[in-house]
Amino acid sequence: MAEELKLAMVGCGAVSAMHLMGISEKAPQIRVTAAVDPVRERAEGLAAQTGAQPFPTFAEALEKGDFDAVDLMLPHDLHEEFAVSAFEAGKHVLLEKPMATTPAACDRIMAAAARAATVFMVAENAQYWPEVVRAKQLMDEGAIGKVITARAAVNMPLMRDNPFYSGDNPWRFDKKASGGGISLDVGSHWIRPLRMWLGEIDEVVAALDRPAEEMEGESLVRALFRFRSDCYATFDAGMFPDAVVGPDALFRITGTGGEMVIESTAGGRLVLYNADNPRGLKEEPEGYLKSYAPEFEDFALAVLEGRPLAAGPEESIGELRTALAMYRSAESKRWEKVWD
């Protein structure tokens, strides 16, 4: 059994810093041996950090590089092409969410993964968000009784100086490259926890708008989800230009015996309210950024030891289908099924 996983990082933009942080914190088995980016300075910069060999194209990296797995961090419309190429080369694949921008493309990627019989993981780091995982544990222990409803909210300024949205033509503002707007991109990190807690989403009704006009996709969504469990949850997401946005709870989960809140302040801490804790039991925060370390540990152990992933790649299709159902609902102005 191999003790080291040699990894090619493909796409050396803003998210690569988060991935390197996760590797350094909890995945010492991973050694980055290739850095791939058409922008020479980015590939060479990541190579200098890691000791990797830089490459300008993925094709050249596959031909000349030395690696067992790939970490694909690319515009969403490139996911299928690069993932299928990696599988055809026999590589293990860690693919940033969403898997792709259409269910049909997801099906093709899944088929290529099955043919390759290598490890395939979609990097939805919310699956490992410490407060989200802790909330699930407390729910399972009955800390708030039977869950009745939940709310997920992410509202923020446009962040023109944020590396995820900076540059002359940020690809996340391009509807073709991103596949949509805030619902499909940032929203998945809030939709996954709702699915972890309440089960599968059956149908949605949504309204969309574009307060950030430079984004081709929607920068505002207000939605209501009905789950197969007959629970309801609201999903509110907004990216507002030139706005100062006040604090709001990231999540609120209400049950017959109490409530849990994941705050947007105080490090994103989890607070439990129930009969034993009427003023709120405040847990020590770890925060969203601590989700990357267990994500990379999970991938490394799946490849090196054959351990099952916390969530299979097919799980990510639920976030994509939920976003697409919201887009249909905004057009039809009625409830839309997620899986039909």
Side-chain angles (χ1 to χ4, degrees), residues 168-236:
D168 294 333
N169 184 28
W171 67 260
R172 291 174 187 273
F173 289 0
D174 184 316
K175 196 171 181 179
K176 179 183 181 297
S178 65
I182 195 171
S183 306
L184 189 146
D185 188 14
V186 177
S188 73
H189 299 315
W190 273 252
I191 298 170
R192 173 64 65 90
L194 291 175
R195 296 176 64 224
M196 291 168 65
W197 297 329
L198 278 67
E200 196 53 85
I201 302 169
D202 182 36
E203 57 184 350
V204 308
V205 63
L208 310 178
D209 203 353
R210 294 180 56 238
E213 294 182 357
E214 52 262 74
M215 287 182 64
E216 292 182 353
E218 81 289 351
S219 48
L220 175 67
V221 56
R222 297 289 182 258
L224 181 63
F225 299 164
R226 188 181 73 79
F227 291 76
R228 290 174 180 170
S229 60
D230 281 331
C231 287
Y232 287 84
T234 59
F235 170 63
D236 299 325

Side-chain angles (χ1 to χ4, degrees), residues 119-140:
V119 171
F120 178 31
M121 176 177 171
V122 174
E124 176 46 79
N125 55 293
Q127 181 74 37
Y128 307 88
W129 190 341
E131 283 70 29
V132 168
V133 173
R134 177 61 175 153
K136 173 64 172 170
Q137 180 185 0
L138 288 168
M139 287 172 56
D140 292 345

Side-chain angles (χ1 to χ4, degrees), residues 122-323:
V122 174
E124 176 46 79
N125 55 293
Q127 181 74 37
Y128 307 88
W129 190 341
E131 283 70 29
V132 168
V133 173
R134 177 61 175 153
K136 173 64 172 170
Q137 180 185 0
L138 288 168
M139 287 172 56
D140 292 345
E141 292 172 357
I144 60 169
K146 181 181 178 181
V147 175
I148 300 171
T149 189
R151 177 177 184 248
V154 50
N155 294 290
M156 56 189 177
L158 184 59
M159 305 184 297
R160 290 184 178 87
D161 60 346
N162 186 299
F164 286 94
Y165 297 92
S166 62
D168 294 333
N169 184 28
W171 67 260
R172 291 174 187 273
F173 289 0
D174 184 316
K175 196 171 181 179
K176 179 183 181 297
S178 65
I182 195 171
S183 306
L184 189 146
D185 188 14
V186 177
S188 73
H189 299 315
W190 273 252
I191 298 170
R192 173 64 65 90
L194 291 175
R195 296 176 64 224
M196 291 168 65
W197 297 329
L198 278 67
E200 196 53 85
I201 302 169
D202 182 36
E203 57 184 350
V204 308
V205 63
L208 310 178
D209 203 353
R210 294 180 56 238
E213 294 182 357
E214 52 262 74
M215 287 182 64
E216 292 182 353
E218 81 289 351
S219 48
L220 175 67
V221 56
R222 297 289 182 258
L224 181 63
F225 299 164
R226 188 181 73 79
F227 291 76
R228 290 174 180 170
S229 60
D230 281 331
C231 287
Y232 287 84
T234 59
F235 170 63
D236 299 325
M239 190 176 288
F240 307 104
D242 306 314
V244 177
V245 179
D248 192 5
L250 300 175
F251 299 98
R252 187 177 296 271
I253 317 154
T254 307
T256 56
E259 189 169 64
M260 285 184 286
V261 175
I262 298 178
E263 300 175 329
S264 61
T265 56
R269 71 184 173 192
L270 174 66
V271 185
L272 168 66
Y273 298 90
N274 58 17
D276 294 331
N277 305 282
R279 295 188 178 182
L281 176 63
K282 301 175 178 65
E283 300 215 343
E284 190 68 26
E286 294 187 63
Y288 172 82
L289 291 179
K290 289 298 183 181
S291 59
Y292 290 97
E295 177 181 75
F296 275 87
E297 179 186 44
D298 200 22
F299 181 64
L301 292 176
V303 173
L304 296 175
E305 299 182 11
R307 295 192 192 182
L309 296 167
E314 67 282 351
E315 192 71 19
S316 69
I317 300 172
E319 286 89 53
L320 171 65
R321 283 188 167 272
T322 299

